Amino acid sequence: MANDNYPRGLFPLNWPNCPVTYYRVDTTNDIFLGEMVDLTSTGFVGNALVVTSNGNGVMGIGVAVGFSGPLRKGLATDDPFLDASDLTTLAAGLETGDRWVAVTDSVEQEYVIQGDTGGTLATLAAVGEAASLIYRTGGSGNTTTGWANLELDASSNAAGSNNIVQILRLHDVVNTDGTENTAGANFAKWVVKILNHRKVGIPVGGTV
């Protein structure tokens, strides 16, 4: 009797019926599906945890849900399970040009994310608080499925605005063994939103 262990980063609720915008993507660093992204100094988007850091003051413009090659003509490579750093090699017949990432970038978009294991795990009392994200063992993403190995750092929740997401509620879902998704246990599924969203605006005295 346990919560399912299925990390896939930030998975948008109501997908695919939610707003999506295509942005030019920086292919320098890995961006897997379910990865939070943010604007870089060059006007592209990159992995939000690389653009800033996995800590205080992290901002995001949304979450990666797909990739495309130049002129947004389908997949950029022949591998459907790719991340942004794979886009540097083009599939046969595609023109050169900028690569693109599809991003769920609504300020109100909600996401499901799996909590990590160990430490002081978040309980229902964590609802409303902010939390950090963390990569589980195995790197930033799963190269077999294409999903990010990103989880909620379930011992980082705290009141305030200096973390990366806000915990809205425990996700209402049933595990494959028939039990309810349980808070305070390994791999609990939480509904969150981006706490400091790039499209909201920059605080007084803040910088892009």
Side-chain angles (χ1 to χ4, degrees), residues 38 52 57 59 198 201-208:
D38 193 23
T52 52
M59 298 187 74
R198 183 66 66 182
I202 305 300
V204 175
T207 58
V208 175

Side-chain angles (χ1 to χ4, degrees), residues 115-137:
D116 66 352
T117 63
T120 305
L121 297 172
T123 65
L124 286 176
V127 171
E129 295 184 335
S132 295
L133 303 178
I134 190 171
Y135 289 123
R136 67 179 302 154
T137 303

Side-chain angles (χ1 to χ4, degrees), residues 127-196:
V127 171
E129 295 184 335
S132 295
L133 303 178
I134 190 171
Y135 289 123
R136 67 179 302 154
T137 303
S140 58
N142 186 317
T143 56
T144 299
T145 67
W147 289 103
N149 282 331
L150 199 61
E151 295 178 323
L152 185 78
D153 186 352
S155 59
S156 70
N157 56 285
S161 59
N162 285 331
N163 278 323
I164 196 166
V165 295
Q166 181 182 21
I167 300 172
L168 300 180
R169 60 187 179 275
L170 186 69
H171 188 37
D172 184 14
V173 67
V174 176
N175 297 306
T176 53
D177 63 7
T179 60
E180 285 188 329
N181 178 42
T182 304
N186 291 336
F187 310 126
K189 309 300 185 293
W190 297 94
V191 178
V192 302
K193 65 183 293 187
I194 298 174
L195 183 60
N196 296 304

Side-chain angles (χ1 to χ4, degrees), residues 17-94:
N17 299 313
C18 48
V20 170
T21 303
Y22 277 88
Y23 294 86
R24 288 174 172 83
V25 63
D26 182 346
T27 60
T28 305
N29 298 108
D30 289 344
I31 300 175
F32 287 87
L33 298 174
E35 197 93 59
M36 189 187 297
V37 297
D38 193 23
L39 295 174
T40 70
S41 60
T42 61
F44 288 65
V45 297
N47 185 332
L49 275 63
V50 174
V51 172
T52 52
S53 63
N54 185 13
N56 292 346
V58 175
M59 298 187 74
I61 200 167
V63 169
V65 293
F67 302 103
S68 185
L71 303 178
R72 286 178 279 171
K73 289 185 176 179
L75 287 173
T77 77
D78 296 318
D79 179 6
F81 302 117
L82 48 77
D83 66 82
S85 64
D86 295 324
L87 302 181
T88 53
T89 302
L90 288 174
L94 287 183

